[in-house]
Amino acid sequence: MTNTRIPDAVRPKQPAAPPAAAARPSARDRGARLLATLFLAPTIVGIVVFTVVPIVGSVVLSLFHWNVIDSPSFAGAANYREVFTDSTVLVSFRNTLVFMVFAVALQLLIALVLALAVNGRMPVWLRSVFRSAFFFPLVLSAASISVVMKYLFNQDFGVVNWLLGLVGVAPVPWLTSENAAMATVILVYVWQQFGFSFLLFVGGLNNIPKEIHEAASLDGATGLRKHLGVTLPLLSPTLLVASVVGIINALQVFEQPYVLTNGGPGDATRTAVMVIYESAFEQLRFGEASAVGVLLFVLIMAVTALQFRLSRRFVHYQ
Amino acid sequence: MSQATPSLSRTRHSLAPWARIVALAVCALLTLGPVLWTVSTSLRTPAEAFDLPPRIIPTDPSVEAYRGVFDQIDVWLLALNSTLVTALIAVGQMITAGLAGYAFARLEFRFKKPLFGLVLATMMVPLQVTIVPVFLVLKSMGLTDTLLALIIPAFPTAFGTFLMRQYFLGMPKDLGEAAMLDGCGPWRIFRSVYAPLAAPGLAIVGVLAFNYHWNEFFRPLILETSGQNYTLPLGLVSLQGNLGTGSISVVLAGVVLSMIPAVAVFVVGQRPLREGITSAGVNR
């Protein structure tokens, strides 16, 4: 729709361009400004309507009680007070943080080790096979892959327990015990997501000049020492990006717990986003849902800001 | 000592690559294992689906499960919905990101910096935080439970805009200046000089959009309430619900069906996808 409107609106200007060439700067500047306005309009209007206004809307809504049917009534801080005393909400935030810490740590560790391994000497075709394999789960839908995983992790007939049985491990109640359920959700999430950090690391490693490694080898650094002392500091900007993105994504986890466990058993795998979904769209408590959303937003901003602050000490730019 | 060290390091060098490659192969197998299992189970008869050990090659391959999917849910309708939504979003994002990215990279206008800051800042705002008001905005427009509710809000893309700006910034300035000396106006410079060069960048935006929105679950779950507006991921999860303890093979056949376009994009668009992810590392 927009792409047809823009040429039409601009084309009438076109014949006027040659005469304007005499007064070059101002006419051209005006043309460029008009063009910029038209080019930016779809993006800026969209962002204002569907992001900026909703952020403000979330804050405002969080101060009201509203179930869509009756008219909203002012609640002040009541929703927040409720959120801070509701055990389900509190547990969901704790779960979200636990999930974030383990999922991000595991994801970065696996991705880093695999990226270093893939970066070693091997035939080119083999390297691209590995790269594609680790990247592949990223293109699949989290919801449908969680459906698959639900069968694989089934306690009685799942393939995972069958494999463990081969080495003499008793069946694990992956999805049905409070302790194991969160670990399973984390595993499934990491399985699908580590390829993202992996790609970032492979790119980051390729950007490290070869000479630096050669110099380190000449100085006698080998294997692990070389990686820890030389590669890691040089990779630290990439590590920062990977961990910032990893954390922001992890704090928004929804599909995996929703499909695998629906938040259970009990509240063991209920996450903040699941609470937003349930209180708004199942219980029609829009005010409370917005308060949880605002808190999640504050949490994400705080964690990200903290990370950038900490990173000043550890990130080395070349 | 001084003799032992080199020989030790030499053996390590000759052994390590093999050990490393074998370890990588095991990891790759673990990564692809669930997908292989899905495909093979979907080709088994429902009776064989529960068999352990799982046979990777079904003894008696059958497409019975696939027929089951078509009986249970209207796959064609779901696929049509998914295709429509995803394709329109991808094209829409290529247009909006291409235009806005060019404006930020090559045009002069007031409030350029704060506007670009606004775009970047929205990359940090999670969808879930804004979903309640977005739902209300769409409801007030009368769009809830229509496919447009999924499409329109997804047109602006902060990440795509950022990516296209970088892309246009990477193009030589002289091209535009030469065209300007030849008497081209700002629109002609964009249309005839820079836009054609932007195709690879736009492909990245399109492929990323396709992959993300084809698999999207959260927004459809909230915005689409009647079955005829479901997209594939939503239909699949409901398929699993319909069946309860029913046939695994049928559910997995549905999963395989929904994977096909994603895999196709992976095969065809692997490079743009990888470049998109690597170039700044933000897309979902």
Side-chain angles (χ1 to χ4, degrees):
Chain A
M1 205 160 68
T2 37
N3 74 326
T4 55
R5 197 186 307 142
I6 283 158
D8 285 349
V10 176
R11 210 165 285 136
K13 287 240 82 158
Q14 231 38 63
R24 203 169 274 161
S26 68
R28 180 152 282 136
D29 279 2
R30 237 181 299 135
R33 210 171 290 166
L34 176 69
L35 200 67
T37 310
L38 292 169
F39 277 20
L40 287 176
T43 296
I44 299 295
V45 169
I47 281 176
V48 167
V49 174
F50 293 110
T51 305
V52 178
V53 169
I55 289 176
V56 179
S58 268
V59 175
V60 173
L61 262 177
S62 73
L63 302 174
F64 285 83
H65 287 305
W66 196 33
N67 61 5
V68 198
I69 301 150
D70 307 317
S71 56
S73 66
F74 187 73
N79 288 330
Y80 288 95
R81 222 174 296 132
E82 190 172 324
V83 161
F84 278 111
T85 49
D86 184 328
S87 64
T88 301
V89 179
L90 291 178
V91 167
S92 80
F93 270 94
R94 202 197 61 195
N95 289 343
T96 306
L97 285 173
V98 168
F99 175 87
M100 176 201 87
V101 169
F102 285 97
V104 174
L106 208 59
Q107 179 186 338
L108 293 185
L109 187 70
I110 292 173
L112 186 61
V113 169
L114 290 177
L116 286 170
V118 164
N119 224 40
R121 211 178 310 154
M122 72 176 73
V124 177
W125 66 269
L126 196 58
R127 178 171 302 143
S128 66
V129 166
F130 285 140
R131 237 180 12 190
S132 304
F134 297 140
F135 163 51
F136 184 71
L138 266 184
V139 306
L140 303 175
S141 120
S144 38
I145 216 61
S146 300
V147 170
V148 172
M149 292 295 189
K150 212 170 157 180
Y151 294 124
L152 288 176
F153 281 100
N154 183 285
Q155 186 178 354
D156 303 318
F157 57 82
V159 175
V160 175
N161 273 347
W162 172 77
L163 280 172
L164 288 176
L166 292 184
V167 289
V169 178
V172 178
W174 293 106
L175 296 166
T176 46
S177 93
E178 294 223 352
N179 293 327
M182 182 53 96
T184 311
V185 171
I186 291 171
L187 274 179
V188 171
Y189 179 88
V190 169
W191 173 81
Q192 191 178 23
Q193 286 287 315
F194 79 88
F196 188 83
S197 324
F198 170 81
L199 284 184
L200 292 182
F201 291 149
V202 168
L205 286 172
N206 283 337
N207 283 340
I208 297 176
K210 270 209 169 72
E211 300 80 51
I212 294 183
H213 272 153
E214 279 159 14
S217 303
L218 285 178
D219 287 346
T222 50
L224 197 62
R225 280 243 346 244
K226 195 161 87 179
H227 284 323
L228 289 181
V230 183
T231 314
L232 226 46
L234 288 171
L235 200 61
S236 53
T238 314
L239 269 166
L240 176 67
V241 173
S243 58
V244 168
V245 176
I247 285 179
I248 292 178
N249 284 342
L251 289 173
Q252 302 170 48
V253 62
F254 176 78
E255 277 92 339
Q256 288 85 357
Y258 180 80
V259 175
L260 282 168
T261 58
N262 199 17
D267 285 333
T269 55
R270 205 169 305 281
T271 63
V273 172
M274 283 192 71
V275 170
I276 296 177
Y277 170 74
E278 287 165 354
S279 49
F281 301 103
E282 284 177 359
Q283 301 155 9
L284 297 181
R285 307 198 312 171
F286 282 72
E288 286 88 337
S290 299
V292 176
V294 170
L295 287 179
L296 179 64
F297 189 45
V298 171
L299 179 69
I300 289 176
M301 291 296 152
V303 172
T304 311
L306 182 73
Q307 224 181 338
F308 274 105
R309 175 151 292 213
L310 284 177
S311 75
R312 262 182 240 154
R313 269 197 267 165
F314 303 109
V315 174
H316 303 261
Y317 292 95
Q318 284 177 45
Chain B
M1 258 302 259
S2 59
Q3 266 178 342
T5 320
S7 74
L8 196 121
S9 75
R10 196 173 305 131
T11 50
R12 187 191 291 165
H13 273 289
S14 57
L15 269 178
W18 284 110
R20 200 188 59 221
I21 287 174
V22 170
L24 276 170
V26 171
C27 293
L29 209 64
L30 280 175
T31 309
L32 297 180
V35 181
L36 295 176
W37 177 82
T38 307
V39 175
S40 93
T41 307
S42 75
L43 290 170
R44 281 178 238 165
T45 56
E48 256 192 349
F50 288 88
D51 279 5
L52 288 174
R55 288 191 205 86
I56 288 300
I57 313 283
T59 44
D60 182 20
S62 103
V63 290
E64 199 185 313
Y66 287 84
R67 235 172 268 138
V69 180
F70 283 87
D71 289 344
Q72 290 277 336
I73 53 176
D74 194 343
V75 179
W76 294 116
L77 181 73
L78 298 181
L80 182 71
N81 286 346
S82 273
T83 309
L84 213 63
V85 168
T86 314
L88 284 175
I89 291 175
V91 172
Q93 285 198 355
M94 285 160 80
I95 294 168
T96 59
L99 296 177
Y102 182 77
F104 281 125
R106 283 282 179 261
L107 299 175
E108 289 309 321
F109 51 92
R110 259 181 301 173
F111 308 123
K112 187 165 164 177
K113 271 200 174 147
L115 282 175
F116 189 60
L118 174 78
V119 172
L120 285 189
T122 57
M123 282 207 290
M124 295 269 299
V125 182
L127 169 74
Q128 290 88 349
V129 170
T130 53
I131 191 69
V132 171
V134 164
F135 171 81
L136 295 172
V137 168
L138 291 167
K139 200 176 157 71
S140 72
M141 293 172 165
L143 289 177
T144 41
D145 202 21
T146 69
L147 294 181
L148 281 178
L150 295 175
I151 297 167
I152 292 174
F155 275 161
T157 158
F159 177 66
T161 303
F162 175 72
L163 203 122
M164 288 315 295
R165 172 181 173 267
Q166 300 303 103
Y167 210 83
F168 282 115
L169 280 178
M171 293 177 190
K173 251 187 163 152
D174 330 3
L175 292 178
E177 277 158 13
M180 194 165 81
L181 290 177
D182 285 346
C184 285
W187 165 251
R188 275 289 299 279
I189 294 177
F190 168 73
R191 179 69 199 85
S192 312
V193 180
Y194 286 113
L197 292 173
L202 291 173
I204 298 180
V205 174
V207 169
L208 280 175
F210 193 96
N211 184 58
Y212 180 79
H213 289 282
W214 182 267
N215 294 328
E216 208 181 359
F217 182 74
F218 188 69
R219 284 194 317 140
L221 177 70
I222 286 165
L223 297 171
E224 308 303 337
T225 41
S226 47
Q228 85 245 23
N229 289 325
Y230 278 12
T231 52
L232 269 171
L234 213 52
L236 282 174
V237 173
S238 77
L239 177 70
Q240 185 211 12
N242 288 345
L243 292 172
T245 53
S247 166
I248 295 187
S249 326
V250 176
V251 177
L252 294 182
V255 170
V256 173
L257 286 176
S258 80
M259 276 181 187
I260 291 170
V263 173
V265 167
F266 173 77
V267 172
V268 179
Q270 193 181 158
R271 252 192 68 196
L273 254 179
R274 238 176 17 217
E275 281 164 10
I277 291 171
T278 320
S279 62
V282 192
N283 79 75
R284 41 191 79 199

